[in-house]
Each structure stands twice: as structure tokens, then as C-alpha cells.
Amino acid sequence: MSLTQECDRERGWSEVPESKAGGPAQWLRQLPKSTTPSTLSTLKLTAGAATAGLALAAAVATAAGPWDSGQRTAERDRAVAQERLGGADHGSTGRGPATAPSAPGVLAALGASEGGDGSGGSVPAPTEGALADVLEPLLKDSALGPDRTASVVDAATGDTVYGSKAGKAVVPASTTKIATATAALAALGPDHRLTTRVVAEQGSDKLTLVGAGDPTLTARKDADGSASLRKLADDTAEALKQRADGAGAGKGEKAGKDGKGGKGGKKPAGIKLSYDVSRYAGTDQHPIGPNDNLAPVTALMADEGRLDDSAKGPAPRSGDPAGDAARTFADLLEDRGVKVDGPPGEHKAPKKAKPLAETSSAPLSALVERMLTNSDNDIGEALARQVALEGGEKASFAGAEKAVKARLGKLGLPVSGTRFADGSGLDRDDRITARLLTGLLAAAADPKRPELRPVLTGLPVAGFTGTLASRYEGDGAAPGTGLVRAKTGTLTGINTLAGSVVDADGRLLVFAFTASKTVAPQAAQDALDRLASAIANCGCR
């Protein structure tokens, strides 16, 4: 299996309608045991249309803190509206599905199971012995290969309620992104934005497009909340016009039409454009080499270097995303009446250069959510380098590894024996323990660390969004639909799953399951899904 095939299982910043963003917590538990997968699929769609199960997603979203993002806002607003209305009526013909009852707000601000003193309140936690009785038979599934690890932690107290080889460091695949996300949020905060700038010295006709390491910068007409190369061109053209009209205009400027085709202003003479990618250091090639799963890791790119109109999943990538972005920007300037002399070249911006125009990414909270839901490798590598810069390290693979590990260590997390060779999880030299993964998730659920909450809100919802949209339909896995939120991990011979789940008593637990040396990817995924679903179906006391 090629690496493209491996990672094709983790495609898609989900474009599922808002009404499917959450999960039916209560009514799914009430389904008869005889419910078939096909019937469940129909009921899942019914629940999505009715938004009856969105209380789960809304509760996590409400707890996410004062910042906002599109996904979280949609989940919260839709869920709040439906909780007021109760179940949705699908008609009275007698042939359609029955009314879907609303799910309870089992996560109510992630505090429903907390008594305020961290003890967990009135909702009981599962016992280790009872949980072991449920999980250990499932862990023996041969589909999980010969090397399995597991950890389950009570989110309210941080206590381990089940573990099996939880301290063994294994190849984590894309669950590495949970570590990258946590480190980035802890280092920079959820409101941080990546700002791409155009700079120039006073009076100079030389402009420099300075990359900030934002892979979500887009040249498309609909920026959809991302930094826009088109808007940057608009603002740059306007700044050049104003500079030409001002008393301190540079030499060589002539009277004529303005930068947008209007009359009465001065049109600047041709400018020279260069681009600066010096924010990053070291090689831009990931150890896997050129690949459809990510572009060369550079501080400047547009639309993740994609050569098609996709926004998620594997796609042909540019071999020179920085140069391509600069050339696209030059074309956009030309379209706005700014003459660009010659093709852009790579040069570091002069120290005395001042900003002419800039465009900023969505908040870091939104980038984290997009990365986790979509399993976006380009964002993963970018955020790891931002952690490096904030930590005083070079923005390289090596510098990012040092900075991520150091930042997680400052959070008091168990990083001994771990490796963060990259930020995406594509590198097989990565090593993470199940104990660390549940530690990261428990930290994100901690009310004292609201800045980490996007780690939870970005996790795909089983059967509904992102890399879990098409999962949880097999025998034994269905009870987790809508109740499990988890990050997937898939490489050849490696299958992992880590996330949060609400058990039958409404207790929020976080879990991590890893399987190494697997030979049948689909069977391994199904086995992992059954493990998470078993927790959802269990009070285990």
C-alpha cells in the first residue's frame, strides 16, 4: 500500500452539513440490540437532520472558551436551538421515522460530571476492574496485531481507569497531531494568528512578500475566513497608489490612472517583487519525500500547494509552493494595475522594510480544529514550527521536535521516551505513549486550561464528521456513533485512535488505543472502533 493510500483513510476537513456536527447521545443508547447497520445509518441521518444529538457537540463547544471558530459556533448555535425545541417531528404519515428525542447535555460545559472540587460529582466513574472485563477481550482481537497499547482516563479527575502497556512508546501516526495541537495552543494561545505581509523600504520600488508559515493562505475567490492573497493584492495596490499620491512618493512615478483603473491619481512605475521564506530553516522536504499528502514545508504557500481545486485530503502538490504563491501574487497585482517587472525571486526582506499590507489567518483555535478534523498534514507541520519559533528554536524539523517536547514537558505531561520527529505523524520515527495521548486529552478537558479546549472540539465525531464520518457502522462499533470524538492514525501496519467518549452513565472519559504490525487496515480500524464503543456502552462499575 502506498503512503497516499495509507493517508487516504484520513481525508477531509469535513463538509458535512451543520446538522450532522454532533451526536445522538441518548436515543442511540436506546436502540434495540437487533438494529442492523443499514437501519442505524438511516437513523443516523434522521438524527442529523433533526439535530437531536447535537447537545454533545454543543456542550464541548460551549466550554471552549471566549474565542470562536466556524465549526464550534455552528455546533453550539444549532444545538442550543434544538435543546429548546426538543425532538423534531418528521411528519405524521406513519411511513417516516419516529420523532427523535433530544440528547441530554451530558457534557454541559465539560462540568456536568464535576462537583467543583475535581472529585467528579454525582456521576460515578467506571472501576478499573469492570472496565478491564469489557476491554481486554476486545484488545485480544488478532486484527490489532501483536503489539497493542491502551489507556483510559477519567477526564474529571485525571485518574487512570484502565491501562495496558500504556507507557510503551509506539509509532502514533496522525494522533501525533494531538501533541502538536496542544503544544501550539499552550505556546501561542487560541487567539494567535499567522500574518503574511508585503513590506518595502520607504520610497523603494522593491516589494517583498514575507511568508509567515500559514498553509491556509488562499488565492481562491472565497477565502472562507482564511488569509486571502487576493485581499492582500487589493491592499497592496491601494497602498502603492497612496504612496504614489503622497508627497514622499518614490522616483519614477507617473501621473495616470490609479492602481484600480480609476482616474485622477498617480500610477506607480513598475515594481520589483521578491519573496521571503526565511522564517523557516532547514530542509523543506519531509522525510517521506514528495507526496500527495503534504507540500514541501515552507513559510510561504497558497492553498497548501495544491494543484487542483481540493481543500482536503491527498492531492497533487507543487514542488515549489513558495515560488508559485509569489508568482500568483504578482499576477494578482498586475490584474489590479500594478506593473511587476520580471518574475519574483527569493530574497530576504530588508531590515528597514515597513509593512505595506498584510493578511491574517483564522485564529489558532480554528486552525487546530481544522487540522484535527481533517487530519491536515500541512497545518500540522506549520504549527510545530510555530512552537519552535515561540520556544527560541529554529523552525525546522529538529527545532520543532525540541520545542514541542519541551512545551509538553512544561505542562507536566509524561514525555519521557517520546519523539516528535514531525508535526503531522507521517514520520515513522515519531514515538508517543498511550499514557501521553490520554494526558494530552485530559489536559484539554481541564477547566483550568481553557486555552487547550480546541483539542477536544476539533476531534471528529464518530459517524458524522471528518475522518470518522464513514466509520462506526460495523457490528459492535455502532453504539459509539455520536458519542465518540477521536483522532485517527493510519500508516502501513499502524492503526491508532485517541479521543473522548461519554460512557453509559454520562461520564466523560478520554482514551488512546494503538495497534502495531497490523496486516488488515480496515479490520484494525473496526477493532479500534469497537473498543471506543465498548466504553460508550458501559457504566463499568
Side-chain angles (χ1 to χ4, degrees):
M1 180 182 291
S2 70
L3 187 57
T4 298
Q5 290 173 313
E6 295 168 9
C7 298
D8 191 51
R9 298 179 180 277
E10 298 192 6
R11 11 188 4 170
W13 170 229
S14 179
E15 295 171 355
V16 177
E18 291 177 6
S19 61
K20 290 179 66 181
Q26 179 77 9
W27 68 276
L28 278 172
R29 289 202 186 94
Q30 298 172 347
L31 292 176
K33 293 183 179 179
S34 61
T35 301
T36 65
S38 60
T39 302
L40 179 62
S41 296
T42 302
L43 290 171
K44 281 166 50 183
L45 292 174
T46 300
T51 66
L54 286 176
L56 172 62
V60 177
T62 301
W67 54 92
D68 235 341
S69 76
Q71 176 181 337
R72 219 170 12 222
T73 300
E75 289 180 348
R76 182 190 62 219
D77 291 349
R78 299 281 292 194
V80 168
Q82 290 303 317
E83 282 191 311
R84 292 193 193 105
L85 297 175
D89 188 352
H90 299 282
S92 56
T93 63
R95 291 175 294 179
T99 299
S102 293
V106 292
L107 294 187
L110 287 179
S113 62
E114 296 177 13
D117 58 358
S119 65
S122 60
V123 180
T127 63
E128 185 169 357
L131 198 54
D133 289 342
V134 171
L135 295 180
E136 288 182 354
L138 297 174
L139 279 169
K140 293 177 181 178
D141 191 326
S142 61
L144 295 173
D147 193 1
R148 316 99 186 249
T149 74
S151 177
V152 183
V153 168
D154 179 13
T157 64
D159 294 337
T160 297
V161 291
Y162 180 76
S164 176
K165 299 181 181 178
K168 181 177 181 178
V170 298
V171 180
S174 279
T175 54
T176 297
K177 294 183 177 76
I178 297 174
T180 303
T182 303
L185 289 165
L188 301 164
D191 297 322
H192 183 78
R193 297 174 188 259
L194 307 178
T195 301
T196 303
R197 294 183 170 88
V198 174
V199 302
E201 290 186 294
Q202 181 68 34
S204 174
D205 63 353
K206 296 179 180 179
L207 272 60
T208 307
L209 177 62
V210 182
D214 178 13
T216 66
L217 174 69
T218 181
R220 296 170 183 172
K221 289 183 178 180
D222 183 6
D224 194 26
S226 296
S228 171
L229 208 57
R230 291 172 181 266
K231 181 63 164 58
L232 187 62
D234 288 341
D235 293 346
T236 300
E238 179 63 23
L240 289 171
K241 173 186 175 298
Q242 291 181 6
R243 192 172 72 169
D245 287 344
K251 296 179 180 179
E253 296 170 340
K254 303 175 182 179
K257 295 181 180 180
D258 64 32
K260 296 196 177 184
K263 297 181 179 180
K266 292 183 178 180
K267 180 180 179 180
I271 60 98
K272 296 177 181 179
L273 179 66
S274 61
Y275 60 95
D276 183 348
V277 293
S278 63
R279 188 166 178 81
Y280 284 4
T283 180
D284 64 1
Q285 283 294 330
H286 191 281
I288 65 171
N291 192 274
D292 286 355
N293 287 288
L294 81 167
V297 185
T298 178
L300 177 65
M301 65 175 72
D303 300 298
E304 299 184 335
R306 295 172 182 271
L307 298 179
D308 58 18
D309 61 357
S310 67
K312 60 180 182 177
R317 306 299 183 109
S318 168
D320 179 22
D324 284 353
R327 288 184 283 273
T328 297
F329 184 65
D331 291 342
L332 291 169
L333 288 177
E334 291 271 5
D335 291 344
R336 287 151 178 78
V338 178
K339 185 177 183 299
V340 181
D341 294 335
E346 181 185 339
H347 298 286
K348 190 172 182 178
K351 291 183 178 180
K352 294 182 179 180
K354 302 294 183 182
L356 279 181
E358 61 184 38
T359 183
S360 295
S361 71
L364 182 60
S365 57
L367 299 184
V368 163
E369 289 180 332
R370 176 172 170 175
M371 174 184 69
L372 293 173
T373 305
N374 185 26
S375 200
D376 191 303
N377 298 308
D378 299 278
I379 296 178
E381 299 302 341
L383 295 190
R385 279 158 179 72
Q386 298 300 323
V387 177
L389 291 167
E390 183 65 19
E393 301 286 350
K394 291 183 177 179
S396 62
F397 285 104
E401 177 172 8
K402 291 179 183 178
V404 168
K405 189 168 185 175
R407 181 63 60 173
L408 298 181
K410 288 181 180 179
L411 292 175
L413 295 164
V415 295
S416 178
T418 59
R419 274 211 65 187
F420 305 95
D422 69 357
S424 63
L426 290 174
D427 196 324
R428 288 179 172 273
D429 286 338
D430 290 329
R431 292 292 184 274
I432 295 181
T433 66
R435 179 175 295 131
L436 175 58
L437 287 170
T438 50
L440 292 163
L441 294 162
D446 187 346
K448 296 178 182 179
R449 290 172 170 165
E451 72 279 5
L452 303 182
R453 204 57 46 79
V455 174
L456 292 184
T457 57
L459 296 174
V461 180
F464 284 84
T465 63
T467 57
L468 290 183
S470 60
R471 288 171 60 165
Y472 285 80
E473 295 183 347
D475 292 341
T481 304
L483 301 178
V484 173
R485 298 189 75 140
K487 181 70 197 76
T488 55
T490 308
L491 293 172
T492 299
I494 302 294
N495 296 91
T496 59
L497 189 69
S500 65
V501 60
V502 181
D503 73 8
D505 291 322
R507 188 82 174 195
L508 179 64
L509 306 174
V510 293
F511 66 87
F513 300 115
T514 76
S516 303
K517 301 179 183 178
T518 59
V519 296
Q522 186 61 56
Q525 287 183 2
D526 290 345
L528 292 173
D529 293 346
R530 285 192 290 271
L531 283 162
S533 291
I535 303 174
N537 228 20
C538 178
C540 296
R541 298 191 306 281

